[in-house]
Amino acid sequence: MRKVSLKGRTYPTDLNPGGTAFGGWVMSKMDKAASIAVDDIIKSPAVTVTVSRINFLKPIHNGDIFTIYTEITAIGNSSITIYVSVEVKNLDTNEEYEVTSSEFKFVAINTEGKPVNVRNVLRDDIDDDVKTLL
Ligand SMILES: CC(C)(COP(=O)(O)OP(=O)(O)OC[C@H]1O[C@@H](n2cnc3c(N)ncnc32)[C@H](O)[C@@H]1OP(=O)(O)O)[C@@H](O)C(=O)NCCC(=O)NCCS
């Protein structure tokens, strides 16, 4: 089940010289949204291990309001895979359209930075659809 993990608006400092959102800025927001989705299901820290095939589908413009949706799609031993989708709202029609998507993989770690089994650090109140991935 996808969830809203982050919302925001684009400002002039977020733009590239062409006047649309800088790709690295978008990726940073996506990484933060994915980390929030991970924190929703585990109690331990986690780090990004891979970002796969980031798709910049449509430009994001100055002033655009964006919502970042996340969905946990796989759980390994220590890894959690999250589909991340950035959508922008067309303020005339009130409809959202996808502008960027990617798959992030995080690894749950202990205080020494070593991978830990996700099942040992799960929160008590995780959604049923996430339970089916265990
Ligand atoms: C992530 C990290 C802790 C993994 O440590 P590691 O010793 O390689 O751990 P492992 O080989 O046991 O792999 C752990 C998990 O990551 C996955 N993984 C590791 N490298 C991967 C890669 N290149 N691609 C896909 N999956 C990978 C493994 O498949 C494994 O998943 P599983 O436990 O669900 O089966 C370590 O590589 C690290 O600290 N990287 C830096 C993270 C970082 O700084 N991120 C940016 C800031 S958040």
Side-chain angles (χ1 to χ4, degrees):
M1 183 179 63
R2 76 177 199 159
K3 285 184 165 179
V4 173
S5 292
L6 204 64
K7 282 188 83 135
R9 186 192 280 277
T10 314
Y11 287 93
T13 50
D14 310 322
L15 308 182
N16 62 35
T20 56
F22 171 53
W25 175 82
V26 181
M27 288 171 70
S28 153
K29 296 284 178 197
M30 295 171 85
D31 198 24
K32 285 175 185 160
S35 79
I36 290 169
V38 168
D39 278 354
D40 277 346
I41 66 161
I42 60 167
K43 296 179 252 189
S44 77
V47 286
T48 315
V49 66
T50 59
V51 182
S52 309
R53 195 187 159 88
I54 184 154
N55 306 293
F56 293 102
L57 305 166
K58 297 199 169 101
I60 305 176
H61 298 98
N62 185 31
D64 276 351
I65 294 171
F66 60 87
T67 304
I68 306 186
Y69 294 93
T70 57
E71 180 167 6
I72 308 284
T73 54
I75 297 179
N77 290 319
S78 65
S79 67
I80 300 169
T81 305
I82 313 105
Y83 180 77
V84 181
S85 172
V86 186
E87 300 195 5
V88 162
K89 185 180 268 190
N90 178 324
L91 296 176
D92 293 327
T93 63
N94 217 28
E95 282 176 13
E96 287 188 318
Y97 57 95
E98 189 172 55
V99 291
T100 313
S101 66
S102 188
E103 189 179 82
F104 285 67
K105 192 189 260 196
F106 276 61
V107 173
I109 54 167
N110 60 20
T111 48
E112 280 84 49
K114 299 292 177 207
V116 294
N117 195 309
V118 172
R119 285 147 197 84
N120 295 336
V121 292
L122 280 176
R123 293 193 182 281
D124 297 330
D125 56 351
I126 58 169
D127 293 334
D128 286 344
D129 62 307
V130 174
K131 283 184 191 156
T132 64
L133 301 172
L134 292 168

